[in-house]
Amino acid sequence: MSARPRRSRCRPCEKGRSLSLPSKQQIPVVVLAGFLGSGKTTVLNHLLRHSGGTRIGAIVNDFGAIEIDAMTIAGQVDSTVSLGNGCLCCAVDASELDVFLERLTRPTTRLDVIVIEASGLAEPQELVRMILASENPRIVYGGLVEVVDAAEFDATRLRHPELDRHLAIADLVVLNKADRVGEAELGRTRDTLAGLCEGTAVIPASYGRVAPELFFDCRPKAETVGQLSFEDLCADDGDDHRDHLHTEYESLSFTAEEPMDPRRLMGFLDGRPVGLYRIKGHVHFGAADPHNRYAVHAVGRFLRFYPQPWGRAEERLSRLVFIGSGIDTGRLRQELADCRETTPQDAADEHGMWGVLRYVRDQEA
């Protein structure tokens, strides 16, 4: 993990290697890490309570305190328990991780996402390595989220200097308990985090309240086809949204009929602002790859593309949703519009896809 390029989060694709995905959609596995007392369990509880129609598999990797965290989350202690809302919870040791990933990814569970709560004393990069090295074809790594206690940040760094190393590989940082410190101290902590994890988004939170949409796709309780977009969350009939969590974030939907230029799009994505927490959708690269559309998934600095064959009658468009805080949506929209291929000369770059393929997990044919 530590040896990988800072931005790519995946191995470069080898020449001649097939880039096809399994026929069924893979389940993203998100690692939720942070030292003891940072609020990881509170964040996980919030995700489970506000899962809506999304089925979450929660794995608690707790090394010696399984009873405490598993009881807090599930109300009972067992290897696998149902939470009554379509979600499941497992309490495991690291050596059992593959076993429970296999169990949770069985088609009968119908899970949409798996969240692993790492032990407060665990090395999160080891869990990340295990997920990346897993031979389970039904999972895909979904990013590392590091939870930090704003009130105890300096003391935690003093006791656990390895925190700096953990932050350096995080894809997203949740600065929890932000309500317990003043604005000056919060600003100083954010400045320190900006230096420790350059380019990584930092989300202030209180009581672990982070919108699930920043971690993974959510679907409505009565979903028929497709995933819930961020705009759908803001469309509840007659509801007052002033006190809702999602009012703290902005969203941008972008659709383009023209193919996207891969080199320009990668320039946009590599330079995206730190306040842009989440990107999802699919991209049409035109003549650069006429056979596939490229699903895109980004959480913080984690980015990956998934080539998928176009449907026979599918309209060839690029559709993307961006979620963030403090972002200039007008500027982002213009920058995205500038990534379109608008002249025949734009499609002549035979090496343009190389930047995209850095973010495609290489797979055997």
Side-chain angles (χ1 to χ4, degrees), residues 144-148 167 170-175 193 197 200-204:
L144 168 62
V145 179
E146 184 79 18
V147 183
V148 172
L167 288 166
D171 298 297
L172 196 65
V173 175
V174 175
L175 185 55
L193 288 170
C197 45
T200 300
V202 178
I203 305 174

Side-chain angles (χ1 to χ4, degrees), residues 206-227:
S206 300
Y207 307 103
R209 295 176 64 246
V210 181
E213 295 77 27
L214 300 185
F215 293 168
F216 48 77
D217 284 354
C218 292
R219 62 177 178 177
K221 294 179 180 178
E223 181 187 23
T224 54
V225 178
Q227 290 286 323

Side-chain angles (χ1 to χ4, degrees), residues 66-360:
I66 291 176
E67 296 80 8
I68 297 173
D69 283 352
M71 287 177 66
T72 301
I73 294 171
Q76 58 182 303
V77 179
D78 199 349
S79 58
T80 304
V81 293
S82 173
L83 303 186
N85 61 347
C87 300
L88 299 172
C89 180
C90 303
V92 306
D93 190 85
S95 62
E96 302 173 304
L97 186 58
D98 261 338
V99 174
F100 280 89
L101 285 174
E102 175 65 28
R103 183 178 300 179
L104 289 177
T105 55
R106 291 171 183 167
T108 53
T109 65
R110 297 183 293 113
L111 293 181
D112 300 299
V113 63
I114 295 172
V115 179
I116 300 177
E117 181 192 339
S119 163
L121 299 177
E123 286 287 343
Q125 61 264 40
E126 294 304 321
L127 286 173
V128 172
R129 283 197 186 100
M130 292 175 70
I131 296 168
L132 290 173
S134 174
E135 296 181 357
N136 187 331
R138 294 189 291 269
I139 67 167
V140 62
Y141 176 58
L144 168 62
V145 179
E146 184 79 18
V147 183
V148 172
D149 184 338
E152 298 292 333
F153 178 63
D154 292 333
T156 302
R157 287 186 73 200
L158 189 62
R159 292 194 306 270
H160 303 286
E162 61 269 33
L163 174 61
D164 290 6
R165 186 176 68 252
H166 298 178
L167 288 166
I169 63 171
D171 298 297
L172 196 65
V173 175
V174 175
L175 185 55
N176 196 31
K177 306 183 186 179
D179 56 305
R180 294 181 52 189
V181 299
E183 289 187 12
E185 183 177 352
L186 187 65
R188 181 179 59 81
T189 301
R190 295 190 72 168
D191 289 342
T192 302
L193 288 170
L196 292 173
C197 45
E198 183 180 357
T200 300
V202 178
I203 305 174
S206 300
Y207 307 103
R209 295 176 64 246
V210 181
E213 295 77 27
L214 300 185
F215 293 168
F216 48 77
D217 284 354
C218 292
R219 62 177 178 177
K221 294 179 180 178
E223 181 187 23
T224 54
V225 178
Q227 290 286 323
L228 177 68
S229 73
F230 192 73
E231 286 70 25
D232 294 332
L233 292 171
C234 304
D236 293 341
D237 294 335
D239 200 359
D240 184 350
H241 296 278
R242 287 175 297 178
D243 297 326
H244 286 203
L245 193 62
H246 61 247
T247 60
E248 300 174 13
Y249 309 106
E250 295 90 37
S251 68
L252 167 66
S253 294
F254 176 81
T255 301
E257 295 181 1
E258 304 90 344
M260 302 295 281
D261 180 271
R263 197 181 294 275
R264 291 183 207 158
L265 182 64
M266 289 314 306
F268 168 83
L269 292 173
D270 283 340
R272 62 193 185 274
V274 295
L276 190 57
Y277 304 141
R278 183 84 166 84
I279 304 172
K280 60 182 179 178
H282 65 266
V283 182
H284 171 34
F285 286 121
D289 187 347
H291 305 294
N292 294 300
R293 71 175 195 166
Y294 281 71
V296 59
H297 166 75
V299 175
R301 301 313 300 178
F302 175 80
L303 171 67
R304 188 163 285 163
F305 285 97
Y306 308 96
Q308 302 165 340
W310 286 102
R312 184 170 299 177
E314 187 175 359
E315 191 175 10
R316 301 207 171 189
L317 300 172
S318 294
R319 299 183 187 274
L320 295 167
V321 176
F322 301 82
I323 306 169
S325 177
I327 57 176
D328 185 340
T329 56
R331 180 178 177 180
L332 289 179
R333 188 180 296 278
Q334 183 57 54
E335 291 178 352
L336 284 163
D338 292 341
C339 294
R340 297 173 300 168
E341 293 181 353
T342 54
T343 66
Q345 290 76 17
D346 289 336
D349 186 357
E350 62 180 299
H351 302 303
M353 285 295 289
W354 286 7
V356 174
L357 299 184
R358 287 188 295 128
Y359 297 91
V360 176

